[in-house]
Amino acid sequence: METIMTKRQRKINTYRKEIKCKDCNKIIQFTHGKDLDGKISGMVGELYAMSNCNDIQLELIDNSAAFNEIITKYITNGFKGYDIIIISDLTLNENNAVYLNEIIEQQVEKEFIICDHHKADYITENENYSWRKYCARSEDQECGASLLYKALELSFPKELRSVIKGIVETTRIYDNFIWKKTNDLVARNMSRISYLNPSYIEDLKTRILSLTSENETLDIFSDMDKKMLIEEDERINKYIETKKKYTVINKVYIDDRFYDVACTFATKYQSELGNVICSTMDVDFVCMINPENNSISLRGHGKIDLSQVAKKYFNGGGHPDASGGSFDASRLLVGLEHIFFN
């Protein structure tokens, strides 16, 4: 049994992190561990715990499919041993939303903070879900971190609030692609450095905790971060130029009409590559396959709701213009039949 569980945990790429305090509430937070919004949401949760002398167990999860597999276990045992349950930047499927609602109604002594902004009408439009107050529709242009900060804002020390709020707002600008319209390179670079520098979020959190006055400012990039960003720009440009040469455009029939879809293989820089292809090629959206981890990345610019495409063909989800999913052999054949071989 131990061997099976070990393999399962490795497969879904879930990592645990704990901060311990004495005489405190026990918090568990589930958050997306791959993108900026999920990482900053986790940082907000940790800062909240540390500011209020609480224990926090942080579950960093790769995608909503893995999350729904994991959360089922916790729902089954009623989140035993936890006082506060936080879900950020991850979407409950319809069944788990129903089961979680039953748990919340039964265990009034526990606090649940559910912060999701992906397209999930079965949550945002259901008046029976009292916990949906921190869930937003995709058109509201919120993000997991901004919703979580709103829920916890008054629990932070005053000297930390403005800095945390600014970082969360930068995250919201990036996550909703506002940065592309305003050319906000700070938002773009914060996302990039969170991948380039594995210790970036931890270092940022440490520097935030060192603030002693409401009037203090914080440069979110160190000198080393800035150097790394310049070097990364050069690598990305070379990668994009190479991948564009091997990108094909196919007509794909989805939901009663044809779409022009750019198709390519990409193991990295999917967001940057997808954005460039959408802006320089006459296509409706981009489909990028990563054969290294069996994942699909979709990027678009308002022509089709890609969250529904990801959900239907690749067991995934996300935003209307940026979504993704995963595949096994059978699902890959179904998806590629529509994307590559139409």
Side-chain angles (χ1 to χ4, degrees):
M1 183 65 180
E2 179 63 27
T3 302
I4 294 173
M5 285 300 294
T6 301
K7 289 182 178 178
R8 175 178 174 276
Q9 291 298 325
R10 188 182 301 117
K11 181 179 178 182
I12 58 181
N13 291 327
T14 301
Y15 308 95
R16 286 183 171 80
K17 184 176 184 180
E18 294 203 18
I19 296 172
K20 295 183 180 287
C21 305
K22 295 180 179 179
D23 301 323
C24 55
N25 289 320
K26 180 67 176 179
I27 303 171
I28 185 167
Q29 180 179 355
F30 304 88
T31 193
H32 193 187
K34 285 290 186 180
D35 70 357
L36 179 66
D37 187 20
K39 293 173 184 177
I40 295 298
S41 295
M43 185 187 78
V44 171
E46 288 183 317
L47 289 170
Y48 164 70
M50 297 176 79
S51 298
N52 293 275
C53 196
N54 291 323
D55 281 356
I56 186 166
Q57 177 179 318
L58 198 59
E59 296 274 358
L60 303 177
I61 304 172
D62 281 3
N63 54 60
S64 287
F67 161 65
N68 277 287
E69 183 182 350
I70 295 167
I71 198 72
T72 301
K73 177 185 69 173
Y74 288 93
I75 290 174
T76 301
N77 71 10
F79 294 94
K80 186 178 179 180
Y82 300 102
D83 304 297
I84 302 172
I85 296 89
I86 300 173
I87 299 173
S88 54
D89 197 33
L90 291 165
T91 303
L92 289 157
N93 62 29
E94 293 186 58
N95 287 337
N96 279 334
V98 172
Y99 298 146
L100 180 66
N101 192 59
E102 293 174 357
I103 292 293
I104 292 174
E105 290 178 347
Q106 293 168 5
Q107 303 202 31
V108 294
E109 74 281 2
K110 296 183 186 293
E111 182 179 0
F112 290 82
I113 304 172
I114 318 298
C115 302
D116 186 37
H117 62 296
H118 301 100
K119 189 169 184 176
D121 292 344
Y122 54 86
I123 293 176
T124 56
E125 302 303 322
N126 193 327
E127 295 181 358
N128 294 321
Y129 293 164
S130 60
W131 46 269
R132 68 189 172 101
K133 63 181 178 179
Y134 294 118
C135 292
R137 300 165 300 175
S138 57
E139 57 265 32
D140 294 332
Q141 294 196 312
E142 293 284 359
C143 70
S146 64
L147 292 167
L148 183 57
Y149 180 75
K150 287 180 180 180
L152 302 176
E153 181 175 10
L154 297 180
S155 299
F156 291 109
K158 289 183 179 180
E159 61 268 22
L160 304 186
R161 290 178 193 172
S162 62
V163 170
I164 298 173
K165 186 175 183 179
I167 291 170
V168 164
E169 175 62 10
T170 300
T171 303
R172 188 189 71 83
I173 288 170
Y174 179 80
D175 203 61
N176 287 281
F177 304 97
I178 299 169
W179 71 272
K180 290 169 64 177
K181 300 175 183 177
T182 61
N183 197 32
D184 189 336
L185 298 185
V186 172
R188 185 203 68 180
N189 285 342
M190 189 162 76
S191 176
R192 283 188 182 176
I193 201 65
S194 72
Y195 289 96
L196 289 171
N197 182 359
S199 65
Y200 174 71
I201 299 297
E202 193 69 27
D203 293 343
L204 184 60
K205 182 182 68 182
T206 300
R207 290 193 288 138
I208 291 172
L209 288 170
S210 70
L211 298 174
T212 57
S213 167
E214 294 181 61
N215 299 320
E216 281 189 82
T217 58
L218 183 72
D219 188 345
I220 62 174
F221 303 121
S222 67
D223 289 341
M224 181 180 292
D225 291 335
K226 293 171 185 176
K227 181 180 179 181
M228 292 173 70
L229 287 166
I230 293 172
E231 294 171 347
E232 182 71 351
D233 265 335
E234 297 173 355
R235 287 191 292 267
I236 290 173
N237 291 335
K238 290 179 181 178
Y239 186 81
I240 289 174
E241 288 307 309
T242 300
K243 285 297 174 181
K244 282 176 66 178
K245 296 176 183 178
Y246 298 100
T247 298
V248 298
I249 299 175
N250 287 328
K251 286 194 175 294
V252 179
Y253 191 73
I254 301 175
D255 295 335
D256 300 324
R257 63 157 288 187
F258 282 98
Y259 292 89
D260 291 318
V261 182
C263 309
T264 190
F265 289 87
T267 58
K268 56 185 177 181
Y269 304 136
Q270 285 89 347
S271 290
E272 292 85 355
L273 177 60
N275 292 336
V276 169
I277 290 176
C278 280
S279 62
T280 59
M281 293 184 174
D282 188 16
V283 296
D284 295 312
F285 69 93
V286 185
C287 173
M288 295 164 284
I289 293 179
N290 185 347
E292 292 185 357
N293 62 7
N294 293 354
S295 67
I296 297 282
S297 294
L298 305 173
R299 295 294 183 273
H301 49 146
K303 302 294 183 66
I304 183 174
D305 186 347
L306 294 176
S307 67
Q308 298 306 303
V309 176
K311 180 180 179 181
K312 183 175 182 179
Y313 297 113
F314 300 111
N315 193 32
H319 302 277
D321 284 336
S323 290
S326 57
F327 57 82
D328 54 25
S330 60
R331 187 170 292 276
L332 176 63
L333 291 175
V334 173
L336 293 190
E337 181 180 356
H338 282 78
I339 301 298
F340 276 97
F341 305 121
N342 234 302

